[in-house]
mmCIF file of all heavy atoms in Angstrom:
data_model
loop_
_atom_site.group_PDB
_atom_site.id
_atom_site.type_symbol
_atom_site.label_atom_id
_atom_site.label_comp_id
_atom_site.label_asym_id
_atom_site.label_seq_id
_atom_site.Cartn_x
_atom_site.Cartn_y
_atom_site.Cartn_z
ATOM 1 N N LEU A 51 -45.873 2.079 -36.636
ATOM 2 C CA LEU A 51 -46.644 2.228 -37.854
ATOM 3 C C LEU A 51 -46.382 1.036 -38.776
ATOM 4 O O LEU A 51 -45.249 0.874 -39.223
ATOM 5 C CB LEU A 51 -46.300 3.550 -38.577
ATOM 6 C CG LEU A 51 -46.944 3.764 -39.946
ATOM 7 C CD1 LEU A 51 -48.465 3.881 -39.789
ATOM 8 C CD2 LEU A 51 -46.360 4.978 -40.627
ATOM 9 N N LYS A 52 -47.383 0.214 -38.952
ATOM 10 C CA LYS A 52 -47.278 -0.956 -39.831
ATOM 11 C C LYS A 52 -47.843 -0.593 -41.217
ATOM 12 O O LYS A 52 -48.987 -0.179 -41.299
ATOM 13 C CB LYS A 52 -47.993 -2.152 -39.289
ATOM 14 C CG LYS A 52 -47.835 -3.384 -40.143
ATOM 15 C CD LYS A 52 -48.517 -4.580 -39.503
ATOM 16 C CE LYS A 52 -48.359 -5.793 -40.372
ATOM 17 N NZ LYS A 52 -49.075 -6.944 -39.816
ATOM 18 N N VAL A 53 -46.997 -0.705 -42.207
ATOM 19 C CA VAL A 53 -47.407 -0.368 -43.583
ATOM 20 C C VAL A 53 -47.379 -1.675 -44.412
ATOM 21 O O VAL A 53 -46.373 -2.409 -44.374
ATOM 22 C CB VAL A 53 -46.474 0.658 -44.251
ATOM 23 C CG1 VAL A 53 -46.898 0.961 -45.671
ATOM 24 C CG2 VAL A 53 -46.465 1.971 -43.394
ATOM 25 N N GLU A 54 -48.443 -1.922 -45.129
ATOM 26 C CA GLU A 54 -48.508 -3.096 -46.011
ATOM 27 C C GLU A 54 -48.743 -2.607 -47.417
ATOM 28 O O GLU A 54 -49.641 -1.778 -47.676
ATOM 29 C CB GLU A 54 -49.640 -4.027 -45.591
ATOM 30 C CG GLU A 54 -49.694 -5.282 -46.464
ATOM 31 C CD GLU A 54 -50.812 -6.227 -46.047
ATOM 32 O OE1 GLU A 54 -51.136 -6.285 -44.835
ATOM 33 O OE2 GLU A 54 -51.337 -6.930 -46.929
ATOM 34 N N LEU A 55 -47.945 -3.111 -48.334
ATOM 35 C CA LEU A 55 -48.036 -2.777 -49.782
ATOM 36 C C LEU A 55 -48.405 -4.014 -50.588
ATOM 37 O O LEU A 55 -48.038 -5.130 -50.188
ATOM 38 C CB LEU A 55 -46.724 -2.239 -50.336
ATOM 39 C CG LEU A 55 -46.102 -1.049 -49.714
ATOM 40 C CD1 LEU A 55 -44.748 -0.726 -50.403
ATOM 41 C CD2 LEU A 55 -47.023 0.158 -49.834
ATOM 42 N N ARG A 56 -49.013 -3.781 -51.693
ATOM 43 C CA ARG A 56 -49.223 -4.815 -52.682
ATOM 44 C C ARG A 56 -48.632 -4.247 -54.000
ATOM 45 O O ARG A 56 -48.938 -3.128 -54.381
ATOM 46 C CB ARG A 56 -50.699 -5.104 -52.869
ATOM 47 C CG ARG A 56 -50.985 -6.218 -53.873
ATOM 48 C CD ARG A 56 -52.453 -6.564 -53.965
ATOM 49 N NE ARG A 56 -52.958 -6.965 -52.650
ATOM 50 C CZ ARG A 56 -54.085 -6.569 -52.145
ATOM 51 N NH1 ARG A 56 -54.870 -5.772 -52.798
ATOM 52 N NH2 ARG A 56 -54.483 -6.984 -50.943
ATOM 53 N N PHE A 57 -47.794 -5.049 -54.659
ATOM 54 C CA PHE A 57 -47.269 -4.691 -55.950
ATOM 55 C C PHE A 57 -48.063 -5.390 -57.019
ATOM 56 O O PHE A 57 -48.294 -6.597 -56.925
ATOM 57 C CB PHE A 57 -45.774 -5.053 -56.057
ATOM 58 C CG PHE A 57 -44.909 -4.113 -55.272
ATOM 59 C CD1 PHE A 57 -44.655 -4.385 -53.940
ATOM 60 C CD2 PHE A 57 -44.369 -2.996 -55.819
ATOM 61 C CE1 PHE A 57 -43.832 -3.527 -53.175
ATOM 62 C CE2 PHE A 57 -43.556 -2.119 -55.090
ATOM 63 C CZ PHE A 57 -43.303 -2.406 -53.770
ATOM 64 N N VAL A 58 -48.480 -4.646 -58.039
ATOM 65 C CA VAL A 58 -49.349 -5.177 -59.073
ATOM 66 C C VAL A 58 -48.777 -4.776 -60.465
ATOM 67 O O VAL A 58 -47.979 -3.838 -60.576
ATOM 68 C CB VAL A 58 -50.777 -4.693 -58.949
ATOM 69 C CG1 VAL A 58 -51.460 -5.245 -57.714
ATOM 70 C CG2 VAL A 58 -50.896 -3.163 -58.996
ATOM 71 N N THR A 59 -49.190 -5.534 -61.482
ATOM 72 C CA THR A 59 -48.794 -5.198 -62.844
ATOM 73 C C THR A 59 -49.997 -5.380 -63.756
ATOM 74 O O THR A 59 -50.912 -6.137 -63.473
ATOM 75 C CB THR A 59 -47.623 -6.101 -63.329
ATOM 76 O OG1 THR A 59 -47.190 -5.619 -64.599
ATOM 77 C CG2 THR A 59 -48.020 -7.573 -63.434
ATOM 78 N N ASP A 60 -49.974 -4.664 -64.859
ATOM 79 C CA ASP A 60 -50.959 -4.875 -65.911
ATOM 80 C C ASP A 60 -50.211 -5.241 -67.225
ATOM 81 O O ASP A 60 -50.816 -5.279 -68.302
ATOM 82 C CB ASP A 60 -51.838 -3.658 -66.135
ATOM 83 C CG ASP A 60 -51.064 -2.393 -66.477
ATOM 84 O OD1 ASP A 60 -49.803 -2.440 -66.512
ATOM 85 O OD2 ASP A 60 -51.693 -1.352 -66.721
ATOM 86 N N TYR A 61 -48.940 -5.576 -67.102
ATOM 87 C CA TYR A 61 -48.082 -5.892 -68.240
ATOM 88 C C TYR A 61 -48.044 -7.418 -68.426
ATOM 89 O O TYR A 61 -47.513 -8.125 -67.595
ATOM 90 C CB TYR A 61 -46.709 -5.317 -67.998
ATOM 91 C CG TYR A 61 -45.767 -5.398 -69.167
ATOM 92 C CD1 TYR A 61 -45.906 -4.570 -70.258
ATOM 93 C CD2 TYR A 61 -44.702 -6.312 -69.166
ATOM 94 C CE1 TYR A 61 -45.043 -4.652 -71.331
ATOM 95 C CE2 TYR A 61 -43.848 -6.388 -70.219
ATOM 96 C CZ TYR A 61 -44.025 -5.535 -71.309
ATOM 97 O OH TYR A 61 -43.170 -5.634 -72.347
ATOM 98 N N ALA A 62 -48.620 -7.884 -69.521
ATOM 99 C CA ALA A 62 -48.596 -9.335 -69.771
ATOM 100 C C ALA A 62 -47.181 -9.857 -69.886
ATOM 101 O O ALA A 62 -46.330 -9.219 -70.508
ATOM 102 C CB ALA A 62 -49.400 -9.632 -71.058
ATOM 103 N N SER A 63 -46.935 -10.994 -69.301
ATOM 104 C CA SER A 63 -45.619 -11.653 -69.264
ATOM 105 C C SER A 63 -44.578 -10.797 -68.553
ATOM 106 O O SER A 63 -43.410 -10.805 -68.932
ATOM 107 C CB SER A 63 -45.159 -12.000 -70.680
ATOM 108 O OG SER A 63 -46.041 -12.946 -71.229
ATOM 109 N N TYR A 64 -44.999 -10.075 -67.523
ATOM 110 C CA TYR A 64 -44.043 -9.311 -66.691
ATOM 111 C C TYR A 64 -43.017 -10.269 -66.132
ATOM 112 O O TYR A 64 -43.339 -11.298 -65.572
ATOM 113 C CB TYR A 64 -44.856 -8.630 -65.560
ATOM 114 C CG TYR A 64 -43.974 -7.979 -64.509
ATOM 115 C CD1 TYR A 64 -43.249 -6.864 -64.801
ATOM 116 C CD2 TYR A 64 -43.948 -8.473 -63.204
ATOM 117 C CE1 TYR A 64 -42.459 -6.257 -63.852
ATOM 118 C CE2 TYR A 64 -43.170 -7.855 -62.236
ATOM 119 C CZ TYR A 64 -42.444 -6.755 -62.547
ATOM 120 O OH TYR A 64 -41.657 -6.140 -61.603
ATOM 121 N N SER A 65 -41.753 -9.934 -66.297
ATOM 122 C CA SER A 65 -40.678 -10.851 -65.916
ATOM 123 C C SER A 65 -40.204 -10.706 -64.470
ATOM 124 O O SER A 65 -39.343 -11.475 -64.034
ATOM 125 C CB SER A 65 -39.501 -10.692 -66.867
ATOM 126 O OG SER A 65 -38.962 -9.392 -66.771
ATOM 127 N N GLY A 66 -40.733 -9.750 -63.738
ATOM 128 C CA GLY A 66 -40.345 -9.535 -62.355
ATOM 129 C C GLY A 66 -39.104 -8.645 -62.300
ATOM 130 O O GLY A 66 -38.476 -8.337 -63.308
ATOM 131 N N GLU A 67 -38.759 -8.243 -61.077
ATOM 132 C CA GLU A 67 -37.563 -7.418 -60.865
ATOM 133 C C GLU A 67 -37.216 -7.403 -59.385
ATOM 134 O O GLU A 67 -38.070 -7.639 -58.528
ATOM 135 C CB GLU A 67 -37.752 -6.006 -61.393
ATOM 136 C CG GLU A 67 -38.886 -5.206 -60.736
ATOM 137 C CD GLU A 67 -39.177 -3.890 -61.420
ATOM 138 O OE1 GLU A 67 -38.287 -3.004 -61.442
ATOM 139 O OE2 GLU A 67 -40.304 -3.764 -61.949
#
Side-chain angles (χ1 to χ4, degrees):
L51 174 64
K52 182 178 180 182
V53 178
E54 182 180 329
L55 301 178
R56 181 176 303 136
F57 286 88
V58 294
T59 188
D60 59 356
Y61 188 73
S63 296
Y64 172 68
S65 62
E67 61 189 295

